[in-house]
PDB file of all heavy atoms in Angstrom:
ATOM      1  N   GLY F 116     174.002 149.685 146.773  1.00 96.00           N
ATOM      2  CA  GLY F 116     173.902 148.460 147.569  1.00 96.00           C
ATOM      3  C   GLY F 116     172.672 148.292 148.416  1.00 96.00           C
ATOM      4  O   GLY F 116     172.785 147.666 149.626  1.00 96.00           O
ATOM      5  N   ASN F 117     171.517 148.799 147.966  1.00 97.00           N
ATOM      6  CA  ASN F 117     170.306 148.842 148.730  1.00 97.00           C
ATOM      7  C   ASN F 117     170.297 149.563 150.050  1.00 97.00           C
ATOM      8  O   ASN F 117     169.502 149.187 150.993  1.00 97.00           O
ATOM      9  CB  ASN F 117     169.692 147.325 148.869  1.00 97.00           C
ATOM     10  CG  ASN F 117     169.416 146.739 147.537  1.00 97.00           C
ATOM     11  OD1 ASN F 117     170.195 145.950 146.954  1.00 97.00           O
ATOM     12  ND2 ASN F 117     168.179 146.943 147.083  1.00 97.00           N
ATOM     13  N   ALA F 118     171.148 150.576 150.154  1.00 97.00           N
ATOM     14  CA  ALA F 118     171.328 151.249 151.371  1.00 97.00           C
ATOM     15  C   ALA F 118     171.147 152.725 150.930  1.00 97.00           C
ATOM     16  O   ALA F 118     171.725 153.213 149.861  1.00 97.00           O
ATOM     17  CB  ALA F 118     172.588 151.081 152.153  1.00 97.00           C
ATOM     18  N   VAL F 119     170.634 153.622 151.692  1.00 97.00           N
ATOM     19  CA  VAL F 119     170.507 155.074 151.582  1.00 97.00           C
ATOM     20  C   VAL F 119     171.824 155.699 151.874  1.00 97.00           C
ATOM     21  O   VAL F 119     172.324 155.483 152.866  1.00 97.00           O
ATOM     22  CB  VAL F 119     169.364 155.687 152.431  1.00 97.00           C
ATOM     23  CG1 VAL F 119     169.318 157.204 152.258  1.00 97.00           C
ATOM     24  CG2 VAL F 119     168.142 155.074 152.143  1.00 97.00           C
ATOM     25  N   THR F 120     172.396 156.404 150.872  1.00 97.00           N
ATOM     26  CA  THR F 120     173.552 157.250 151.056  1.00 97.00           C
ATOM     27  C   THR F 120     173.372 158.719 151.316  1.00 97.00           C
ATOM     28  O   THR F 120     174.231 159.384 151.547  1.00 97.00           O
ATOM     29  CB  THR F 120     174.514 156.912 149.894  1.00 97.00           C
ATOM     30  OG1 THR F 120     173.875 157.379 148.636  1.00 97.00           O
ATOM     31  CG2 THR F 120     174.821 155.550 149.758  1.00 97.00           C
ATOM     32  N   GLY F 121     172.134 159.128 150.954  1.00 97.00           N
ATOM     33  CA  GLY F 121     171.904 160.659 151.230  1.00 97.00           C
ATOM     34  C   GLY F 121     170.496 160.879 150.955  1.00 97.00           C
ATOM     35  O   GLY F 121     169.624 160.293 150.090  1.00 97.00           O
ATOM     36  N   ILE F 122     169.829 161.894 151.616  1.00 96.00           N
ATOM     37  CA  ILE F 122     168.442 162.234 151.533  1.00 96.00           C
ATOM     38  C   ILE F 122     168.417 163.820 151.672  1.00 96.00           C
ATOM     39  O   ILE F 122     169.014 164.429 152.414  1.00 96.00           O
ATOM     40  CB  ILE F 122     167.610 161.726 152.706  1.00 96.00           C
ATOM     41  CG1 ILE F 122     167.773 160.188 152.775  1.00 96.00           C
ATOM     42  CG2 ILE F 122     166.108 162.082 152.681  1.00 96.00           C
ATOM     43  CD1 ILE F 122     166.890 159.438 153.990  1.00 96.00           C
ATOM     44  N   ASP F 123     167.495 164.326 150.939  1.00 97.00           N
ATOM     45  CA  ASP F 123     167.069 165.793 151.080  1.00 97.00           C
ATOM     46  C   ASP F 123     165.514 165.693 151.018  1.00 97.00           C
ATOM     47  O   ASP F 123     164.844 165.302 150.245  1.00 97.00           O
ATOM     48  CB  ASP F 123     167.550 166.637 150.016  1.00 97.00           C
ATOM     49  CG  ASP F 123     167.154 168.055 150.164  1.00 97.00           C
ATOM     50  OD1 ASP F 123     167.841 168.723 150.998  1.00 97.00           O
ATOM     51  OD2 ASP F 123     166.236 168.446 149.471  1.00 97.00           O
ATOM     52  N   ILE F 124     164.969 166.377 152.136  1.00 96.00           N
ATOM     53  CA  ILE F 124     163.428 166.509 152.267  1.00 96.00           C
ATOM     54  C   ILE F 124     163.214 168.018 152.324  1.00 96.00           C
ATOM     55  O   ILE F 124     163.731 168.421 153.403  1.00 96.00           O
ATOM     56  CB  ILE F 124     162.895 165.653 153.374  1.00 96.00           C
ATOM     57  CG1 ILE F 124     163.138 164.245 153.210  1.00 96.00           C
ATOM     58  CG2 ILE F 124     161.336 165.888 153.497  1.00 96.00           C
ATOM     59  CD1 ILE F 124     162.734 163.254 154.333  1.00 96.00           C
ATOM     60  N   SER F 125     162.426 168.605 151.537  1.00 96.00           N
ATOM     61  CA  SER F 125     162.166 169.960 151.606  1.00 96.00           C
ATOM     62  C   SER F 125     160.690 170.272 151.387  1.00 96.00           C
ATOM     63  O   SER F 125     160.076 169.979 150.231  1.00 96.00           O
ATOM     64  CB  SER F 125     163.026 170.742 150.700  1.00 96.00           C
ATOM     65  OG  SER F 125     162.759 172.175 150.678  1.00 96.00           O
ATOM     66  N   PRO F 126     159.967 170.926 152.346  1.00 95.00           N
ATOM     67  CA  PRO F 126     160.373 171.182 153.608  1.00 95.00           C
ATOM     68  C   PRO F 126     160.332 169.875 154.437  1.00 95.00           C
ATOM     69  O   PRO F 126     159.709 168.886 154.122  1.00 95.00           O
ATOM     70  CB  PRO F 126     159.342 172.168 154.177  1.00 95.00           C
ATOM     71  CG  PRO F 126     158.024 171.769 153.363  1.00 95.00           C
ATOM     72  CD  PRO F 126     158.582 171.348 152.110  1.00 95.00           C
ATOM     73  N   PRO F 127     161.246 169.781 155.452  1.00 93.00           N
ATOM     74  CA  PRO F 127     161.269 168.646 156.384  1.00 93.00           C
ATOM     75  C   PRO F 127     159.925 168.452 156.979  1.00 93.00           C
ATOM     76  O   PRO F 127     159.156 169.354 157.320  1.00 93.00           O
ATOM     77  CB  PRO F 127     162.409 168.938 157.204  1.00 93.00           C
ATOM     78  CG  PRO F 127     162.510 170.449 157.385  1.00 93.00           C
ATOM     79  CD  PRO F 127     162.082 170.971 155.993  1.00 93.00           C
ATOM     80  N   TYR F 128     159.725 167.110 157.333  1.00 89.00           N
ATOM     81  CA  TYR F 128     158.563 166.855 158.148  1.00 89.00           C
ATOM     82  C   TYR F 128     158.723 167.255 159.623  1.00 89.00           C
ATOM     83  O   TYR F 128     159.864 167.260 160.120  1.00 89.00           O
ATOM     84  CB  TYR F 128     158.342 165.272 158.182  1.00 89.00           C
ATOM     85  CG  TYR F 128     157.799 164.769 156.943  1.00 89.00           C
ATOM     86  CD1 TYR F 128     158.700 164.204 155.961  1.00 89.00           C
ATOM     87  CD2 TYR F 128     156.503 164.773 156.525  1.00 89.00           C
ATOM     88  CE1 TYR F 128     158.260 163.501 154.777  1.00 89.00           C
ATOM     89  CE2 TYR F 128     156.005 164.158 155.382  1.00 89.00           C
ATOM     90  CZ  TYR F 128     156.933 163.635 154.440  1.00 89.00           C
ATOM     91  OH  TYR F 128     156.475 163.059 153.239  1.00 89.00           O
ATOM     92  N   GLU F 129     157.617 167.580 160.220  1.00 88.00           N
ATOM     93  CA  GLU F 129     157.600 168.052 161.625  1.00 88.00           C
ATOM     94  C   GLU F 129     157.604 166.747 162.484  1.00 88.00           C
ATOM     95  O   GLU F 129     156.782 165.827 162.376  1.00 88.00           O
ATOM     96  CB  GLU F 129     156.407 168.815 161.961  1.00 88.00           C
ATOM     97  CG  GLU F 129     156.348 169.372 163.302  1.00 88.00           C
ATOM     98  CD  GLU F 129     155.022 170.168 163.501  1.00 88.00           C
ATOM     99  OE1 GLU F 129     154.295 170.517 162.688  1.00 88.00           O
ATOM    100  OE2 GLU F 129     154.859 170.360 164.768  1.00 88.00           O
ATOM    101  N   ASP F 130     158.575 166.739 163.422  1.00 87.00           N
ATOM    102  CA  ASP F 130     158.572 165.532 164.264  1.00 87.00           C
ATOM    103  C   ASP F 130     157.340 165.567 165.270  1.00 87.00           C
ATOM    104  O   ASP F 130     157.041 166.603 165.762  1.00 87.00           O
ATOM    105  CB  ASP F 130     159.853 165.610 165.128  1.00 87.00           C
ATOM    106  CG  ASP F 130     160.975 164.808 164.438  1.00 87.00           C
ATOM    107  OD1 ASP F 130     160.719 163.913 163.575  1.00 87.00           O
ATOM    108  OD2 ASP F 130     162.173 165.253 164.614  1.00 87.00           O
ATOM    109  N   LYS F 131     156.868 164.481 165.593  1.00 89.00           N
ATOM    110  CA  LYS F 131     155.676 164.303 166.418  1.00 89.00           C
ATOM    111  C   LYS F 131     156.186 163.372 167.608  1.00 89.00           C
ATOM    112  O   LYS F 131     156.956 162.356 167.400  1.00 89.00           O
ATOM    113  CB  LYS F 131     154.541 163.726 165.758  1.00 89.00           C
ATOM    114  CG  LYS F 131     153.994 164.569 164.572  1.00 89.00           C
ATOM    115  CD  LYS F 131     153.469 165.924 165.119  1.00 89.00           C
ATOM    116  CE  LYS F 131     152.771 166.697 163.877  1.00 89.00           C
ATOM    117  NZ  LYS F 131     152.043 167.876 164.365  1.00 89.00           N
ATOM    118  N   PRO F 132     155.531 163.537 168.717  1.00 91.00           N
ATOM    119  CA  PRO F 132     155.962 162.680 169.994  1.00 91.00           C
ATOM    120  C   PRO F 132     155.763 161.176 169.681  1.00 91.00           C
ATOM    121  O   PRO F 132     156.396 160.289 170.376  1.00 91.00           O
ATOM    122  CB  PRO F 132     155.085 163.223 171.184  1.00 91.00           C
ATOM    123  CG  PRO F 132     154.726 164.679 170.652  1.00 91.00           C
ATOM    124  CD  PRO F 132     154.635 164.591 169.152  1.00 91.00           C
ATOM    125  N   ASP F 133     154.721 160.827 168.907  1.00 92.00           N
ATOM    126  CA  ASP F 133     154.323 159.407 168.747  1.00 92.00           C
ATOM    127  C   ASP F 133     154.960 158.826 167.464  1.00 92.00           C
ATOM    128  O   ASP F 133     154.686 157.704 167.143  1.00 92.00           O
ATOM    129  CB  ASP F 133     152.779 159.207 168.698  1.00 92.00           C
ATOM    130  CG  ASP F 133     152.181 159.967 167.494  1.00 92.00           C
ATOM    131  OD1 ASP F 133     152.817 160.897 166.939  1.00 92.00           O
ATOM    132  OD2 ASP F 133     151.075 159.709 167.311  1.00 92.00           O
TER     133      ASP F 133
END
Side-chain angles (χ1 to χ4, degrees):
N117 292 97
V119 177
T120 58
I122 302 175
D123 180 82
I124 302 176
S125 180
Y128 287 98
E129 180 182 353
D130 272 334
K131 300 291 185 179
D133 62 339

